[in-house]
Amino acid sequence: MTSGQIEDPFASPGHDHAGCIEAALDAAEATCVRRGERLTPLRRRVLELVWAGHSPVGAYDLLALLQDERGRVAPPTVYRALEFLCRQGLVHRLDSLQAFIGCGHPGAHGEGRHAAHFLICRDCGVAVEVRDGQLDGAISHLAGRTGFTIADETIELSGRCAACQS
């Protein structure tokens, strides 16, 4: 999305979610290969489950889904997979929800993490990562003006999407 062009990220008629998941998995594989990291079958499956919808998913929800598929799975297994995926910039942790969502812009700022801004609908639960050059610039300007060095940037805006307001 270019600066000044904020489209309605919640309105997506004709959205091919299967293609969305496939593109996310392909990007993850390419990112890991480029970095010399391994996207193990378990990490890939956790990423696929995170991308199963556009709503954030909790670690224990992921654990339950994996246990339904594989039998007993220990919580640390899921947390380690999520930590790896976060470290690689493939998923984001939404602190306000204590949940995870797939990164719509993996590798957007080089290696690992990047600035992440989310619009989260309180009614339907959909969360969308948005990019806006003006917002990025304003945050950078503010940090520079105050002499602050940003180590991690995640902004979570909650409200109601247009569909839920109708």
Side-chain angles (χ1 to χ4, degrees):
M1 205 174 298
T2 60
S3 177
Q5 270 189 325
I6 297 189
E7 301 167 20
D8 180 358
F10 292 92
S12 53
H15 175 70
D16 175 15
H17 194 62
C20 183
I21 294 170
E22 186 178 331
L25 294 173
D26 290 347
E29 190 68 48
T31 297
C32 289
V33 167
R34 190 175 63 251
R35 295 179 183 160
E37 298 286 349
R38 288 190 59 231
L39 187 63
T40 63
L42 177 67
R43 291 170 177 170
R44 181 181 176 86
R45 183 63 183 139
V46 169
L47 181 61
E48 188 174 18
L49 290 171
V50 167
W51 272 99
H54 287 288
S55 297
V57 61
Y60 277 94
D61 295 325
L62 292 169
L63 178 65
L65 292 168
L66 286 170
Q67 287 177 337
D68 287 347
E69 293 175 5
R70 300 172 181 225
R72 178 138 168 54
V73 177
T77 305
V78 174
Y79 279 108
R80 281 192 299 270
L82 287 167
E83 286 171 13
F84 171 85
L85 296 169
C86 284
R87 209 173 37 253
Q88 297 306 313
L90 302 172
V91 301
H92 294 287
R93 184 177 193 283
L94 298 178
D95 289 331
S96 66
L97 302 174
Q98 295 182 327
F100 299 85
I101 191 157
C103 176
H105 311 282
H109 291 273
E111 301 300 309
R113 298 181 189 172
H114 63 86
H117 310 134
F118 293 92
L119 303 177
I120 304 167
C121 181
R122 289 182 179 168
D123 290 352
C124 67
V126 170
V128 177
E129 184 176 359
V130 295
R131 306 285 313 258
D132 184 271
Q134 289 179 325
L135 180 59
D136 293 342
I139 291 168
S140 294
H141 178 73
L142 174 65
R145 195 176 76 224
T146 60
F148 186 80
T149 301
I150 299 172
D152 193 20
E153 179 184 334
T154 303
I155 297 173
E156 302 174 33
L157 303 169
S158 65
R160 295 177 72 213
C161 70
C164 289
Q165 291 178 50
S166 300

